[in-house]
């Protein structure tokens, strides 16, 4: 069997950490358990990551990759309404393909135990909020959506995404999030459109 590169090994460790959190909860994530799942020694894990917090930072770096793809896709549209729809659909499509990431998003205990992790997650959230704020403000300036408070519209859109994802997660992923996302996009569009 070929030896894995450092980057491949780190990716494998992060993948297994996500699975452990998804299957058993954050409290079950330990270096020992992770080493067993990956099939390497505990000291080998420490050659790649300083500690459990560092592993979670690696998981959060996946959200940065997600954001880069999200921002790139949103920018392919000129119309702010299409950008809003893209933003919403992108979240549902990503999570539909990666349901285990919902275990990270909704694991508040992860972020309550570390100021560094809390700040990192807040940075991710604020970056997405800034993008949506710019899009909403542009849509309002072009008179394409209701002239309501931008922060309130932002809360409605992000809250809608979060609620649908939570419902999907709590139902044991029993419905297609991508299909439900299509319905959600249409509903958000109807709520925002000027009549």
């Amino acid at each position: 069997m070929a030896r894995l590169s450092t980057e491949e090994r780190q990716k494998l460790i992060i993948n297994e950490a996500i699975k452990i959190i998804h299957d058993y909860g954050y409290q079950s994530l330990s270096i020992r358990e992770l080493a067993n799942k990956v099939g390497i020694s505990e000291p080998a894990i420490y050659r790649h990551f300083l500690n459990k917090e560092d592993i979670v930072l690696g998981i959060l770096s996946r959200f940065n990759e997600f954001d880069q793809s999200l921002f790139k896709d949103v920018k392919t549209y000129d119309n702010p309404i299409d950008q809003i729809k893209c933003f919403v659909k992108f979240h549902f499509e990503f999570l539909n393909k990666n349901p285990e990431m919902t275990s990270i998003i909704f694991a508040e205990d992860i972020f309550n135990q570390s100021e560094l992790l809390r700040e990192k997650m807040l940075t991710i959230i604020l970056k997405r909020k800034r993008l949506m704020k710019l899009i909403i403000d542009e849509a309002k300036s072009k008179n394409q959506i209701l002239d309501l408070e931008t922060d309130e519209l932002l809360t409605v859109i992000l809250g809608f995404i979060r609620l649908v994802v939570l419902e999907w997660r709590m139902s044991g992923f029993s419905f297609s999030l991508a299909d439900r996302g299509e319905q959600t996009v249409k509903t958000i569009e109807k709520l925002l459109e000027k009549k």
Side-chain angles (χ1 to χ4, degrees):
M1 184 167 139
R3 186 176 169 99
L4 295 177
S5 70
T6 298
E7 186 177 309
E8 290 168 327
R9 178 72 69 196
Q10 287 174 338
K11 185 175 182 181
L12 180 62
I13 292 167
I14 288 171
N15 288 343
E16 286 302 324
I18 292 168
K19 286 179 190 173
I20 291 169
I21 293 169
H22 181 66
D23 292 339
Y24 308 109
Y26 176 67
Q27 297 305 323
S28 296
L29 179 64
S30 70
I31 300 301
R32 176 177 289 148
E33 180 66 19
L34 194 51
N36 288 335
K37 294 282 187 184
V38 176
I40 60 176
S41 68
E42 289 178 50
I45 298 280
Y46 286 113
R47 283 195 291 273
H48 296 284
F49 296 97
L50 297 173
N51 51 33
K52 191 172 161 177
E53 181 182 65
D54 198 30
I55 292 167
V56 176
L57 284 171
I59 294 170
L60 293 180
S61 71
R62 296 264 173 101
F63 288 109
N64 283 328
E65 294 168 18
F66 167 86
D67 285 348
Q68 288 173 2
S69 297
L70 169 65
F71 293 8
K72 184 175 152 193
D73 273 21
V74 164
K75 289 180 182 183
T76 62
Y77 296 94
D78 294 326
N79 183 337
I81 298 293
D82 292 333
Q83 290 177 338
I84 292 169
K85 293 184 335 191
C86 175
F87 181 94
V88 174
K89 286 190 338 193
F90 197 94
H91 280 79
F92 291 133
E93 289 167 2
F94 171 80
L95 291 170
N96 201 53
K97 291 177 193 164
N98 303 281
E100 67 283 352
M101 292 302 275
T102 62
S103 298
I104 309 303
I105 295 168
F106 292 106
E108 291 178 18
D109 55 330
I110 293 174
F111 309 108
N112 289 335
Q113 296 182 22
S114 165
E115 187 62 33
L116 177 63
L117 295 177
R118 184 176 24 257
E119 286 175 17
K120 182 75 169 168
M121 188 56 142
L122 277 173
T123 299
I124 291 166
I125 292 167
L126 291 174
K127 194 178 350 174
R128 291 183 193 171
K129 285 180 82 172
R130 275 193 298 274
L131 172 65
M132 274 305 290
K133 186 176 182 341
L134 289 171
I135 295 169
I136 290 169
D137 285 342
E138 183 181 354
K140 284 170 47 178
S141 74
K142 291 182 174 182
N143 208 22
Q144 293 178 326
I145 62 174
L146 294 172
D147 188 21
L148 300 172
E149 182 64 41
T150 299
D151 286 337
E152 297 304 317
L153 291 174
L154 189 57
T155 300
V156 167
I157 294 167
L158 296 178
F160 220 139
I161 293 170
R162 186 168 174 83
L163 186 61
V164 170
V165 172
L166 181 60
E167 180 185 348
W168 178 61
R169 177 177 159 73
M170 298 299 284
S171 75
F173 312 107
S174 66
F175 56 88
S176 167
L177 188 59
D179 291 346
R180 180 68 185 277
E182 288 291 333
Q183 295 171 355
T184 302
V185 166
K186 289 176 187 171
T187 301
I188 290 172
E189 190 174 15
K190 286 178 186 173
L191 287 173
L192 297 180
E193 74 183 8
K194 290 195 87 160
K195 300 202 171 39

